[in-house]
């Protein structure tokens, strides 16, 4: 992210890991409260929603890890394409939950697809950073800023919007959806500016 490339050129930030991390922290922190407040499923299943989320994240990470191993000698554009597919998976999951807010099937499907899609994304982002930039202290500082920003400020803002506006618990679904959607146009911009092979 933002390190100098060979030949002295700076590369574009291939993707901020902040939104991806923000959605994960947000969803993990507040999904059980969302269940209790919306009644989309029985309140007794609130803790089960966190379990389903993290099982899906873990499966996504394992599948993504194997995929990244297989992509090791592939051109950078392959990483872009696979990361976009994972981001789209998570986006579709949260979109289903947003479009059918009172439907238990949409909730469980959405949480599972979101977790599956979100799980491997940070690994792909690091792979892109390593392929598109030269490792520098400045570059790693930017990466860590994105991660910490995503893990702290966005969940805080979610609770502020949840508590002090009329959006209520639905804000969790939309913020989580945006955390998977926003990186996709950033990927396209990074690929265009970075002249990806």
């Amino acid at each position: 992210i933002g390190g100098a490339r060979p030949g002295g050129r700076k590369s574009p930030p291939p993707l901020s890991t902040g939104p991806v991390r923000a959605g994960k922290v947000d969803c993990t922190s507040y999904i059980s409260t969302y269940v209790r407040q919306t009644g989309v499923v029985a309140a007794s299943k609130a803790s089960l929603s966190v379990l389903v989320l993290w099982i899906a994240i873990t499966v996504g990470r394992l599948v993504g890890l194997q995929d990244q191993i297989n992509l090791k000698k592939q051109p950078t554009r392959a990483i872009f394409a696979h990361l976009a597919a994972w981001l789209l998976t998570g986006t579709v999951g949260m979109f289903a939950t947003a479009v059918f807010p009172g439907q238990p099937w949409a909730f469980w499907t959405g949480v599972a697809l979101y977790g599956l899609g979100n799980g491997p994304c940070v690994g792909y982002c690091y792979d892109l950073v390593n392929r598109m930039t030269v490792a520098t202290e400045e570059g790693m500082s930017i990466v860590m800023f994105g991660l910490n920003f995503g893990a702290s400020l966005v969940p805080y803002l979610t609770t502020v919007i949840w508590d002090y506006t009329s959006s209520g618990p639905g804000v969790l679904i939309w913020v989580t959806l945006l955390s998977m959607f926003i990186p996709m146009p950033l990927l396209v911009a990074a690929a265009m500016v970075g002249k990806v092979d």
Side-chain angles (χ1 to χ4, degrees), residues 86-87 90-91 114 117-118 121 176-184:
W86 287 112
L87 289 167
T91 301
Y114 168 74
N118 182 284
C121 286
T176 307
L177 185 153
L178 288 173
S179 76
M180 295 300 280
F181 178 77
I182 288 172
M184 286 190 278

Side-chain angles (χ1 to χ4, degrees), residues 8-192:
R9 278 185 46 220
K10 284 240 182 202
S11 68
L15 175 70
S16 170
T17 55
V20 173
R21 181 64 56 110
K24 187 181 309 172
V25 171
D26 230 15
C27 201
T28 300
S29 300
Y30 306 123
I31 194 75
S32 58
T33 305
Y34 173 86
V35 167
R36 287 188 202 97
Q37 287 191 9
T38 62
V40 65
V41 294
S44 61
K45 295 187 179 176
S47 59
L48 181 62
S49 64
V50 177
L51 178 65
V52 168
L53 172 68
W54 275 93
I55 287 173
I57 288 171
T58 302
V59 169
R61 285 181 178 174
L62 293 172
V63 172
L65 177 62
Q66 184 59 50
D67 186 42
Q68 280 184 273
I69 290 169
N70 294 337
L71 293 172
K72 193 181 272 188
K73 295 187 192 267
Q74 296 298 318
T76 303
R77 70 177 169 272
I79 300 295
F80 274 97
H82 287 236
L83 176 55
W86 287 112
L87 289 167
L88 188 59
T89 301
T91 301
V92 167
M94 282 295 107
F95 187 72
T97 306
V99 171
F100 304 104
Q103 299 296 321
W105 67 267
F107 173 75
W108 291 118
T109 302
V111 168
L113 283 175
Y114 168 74
L116 185 68
N118 182 284
C121 286
V122 171
Y124 284 89
C125 291
Y126 277 123
D127 195 349
L128 286 173
V129 167
N130 290 336
R131 288 175 183 234
M132 295 183 71
T133 65
V134 173
T136 65
E137 294 85 2
E138 178 188 14
M140 186 49 72
S141 296
I142 294 168
V143 169
M144 293 311 297
F145 174 77
L147 285 172
N148 292 321
F149 178 79
S152 57
L153 186 61
V154 173
Y156 171 74
L157 292 175
T158 299
T159 60
V160 169
I161 295 168
W162 187 329
D163 288 341
Y164 297 107
T165 70
S166 61
S167 62
V171 70
L172 175 65
I173 302 305
W174 287 103
V175 168
T176 307
L177 185 153
L178 288 173
S179 76
M180 295 300 280
F181 178 77
I182 288 172
M184 286 190 278
L186 296 176
L187 274 177
V188 173
M192 289 171 40

